[in-house]
Amino acid sequence: MITGAGNGLGRAHALAFAADGAAVVVNDLGGGRDGSGASGGPAQQVVDEITAAGGRAVANTDDVSTWDGAKSLIDQAIDTFGGLDVVVNNAGILRDRMLTSMSESEWDAVIAVHLKGAFGPTRHAAEYWRNRAKSGAMNDARVINTTSPSGLFGSHGQTNYGAAKAGIAGFTVIAAMELQRYGITVNAVAPTALTRMTDDLAAARELADKVDLAPEGVSPLVLWLASPAARDVTGRVFANIGGTIAVVEGWAYGPEVHSPQRWTIDRLNEEMPALLAKAAPNADMTGHRPVQ
């Protein structure tokens, strides 16, 4: 089951899973890049492409940013194909705006589609898998989320999108901890690809002149994470940029300073400059730390 599968990365993932023999529920609300509108066309077009090639697929246009829509999607997958093995949370929209100009609706819409849109399908799928485990069945299930360099490293004009994607990374780590006992792995991919979400960004187009940023280049990693070979891989975030795959290492303590007494402002004034001087700079949008 793949959300946001009518275009771009989701479409590429759906075609890759179908070509590998999987039965696919192709979910897409069919809206614009900003989330406006709805249409059954994109999802059905991908389904038609899969079935024309001899694969198995059904379309779904539920809104995964809603509780009922996410449950309906999971129920359809189980009812149609007799079970559920893999959830790929990929649905997303963009409403870029500088923080000082961002409206409440621009914030809420992006958080809903990305973050709640990952929570809802995962929550309902996890309940299904937990119930199977409690009945004595063995699960070999996968959740693969979609985060972004914007959420991991930051990007101007994307406080809403970046916050949602950072939230997905945190959600991935914690869900992996909670669900492992039921035979479920949870991982995330931070792709850099040229899609309708990014094709008007000058930086993306410049990078695409140097490396292959086709969405199809990301799908093999997603397919591998869904495979038996990745059965013991969970709680990880992977970046995929052209031919490069990197394990994104999460927050960890850097240099420390200790005090046997409670800190005071005066002592912090003395100690903090030296502490910060020892700290590595934040990574840039490429995921690498600037050379000092």
Side-chain angles (χ1 to χ4, degrees), residues 128-137 139 181-182:
Y128 164 72
W129 288 321
R130 182 194 63 184
N131 290 341
R132 289 189 79 249
K134 287 187 173 182
S135 70
N139 292 313
R181 61 179 169 167
Y182 301 122

Side-chain angles (χ1 to χ4, degrees), residues 150-177:
S150 178
L152 301 174
F153 312 122
S155 177
H156 281 85
Q158 293 191 320
T159 51
N160 51 4
Y161 178 78
K165 289 304 194 183
I168 288 172
F171 172 78
T172 296
V173 172
I174 298 169
M177 295 175 181

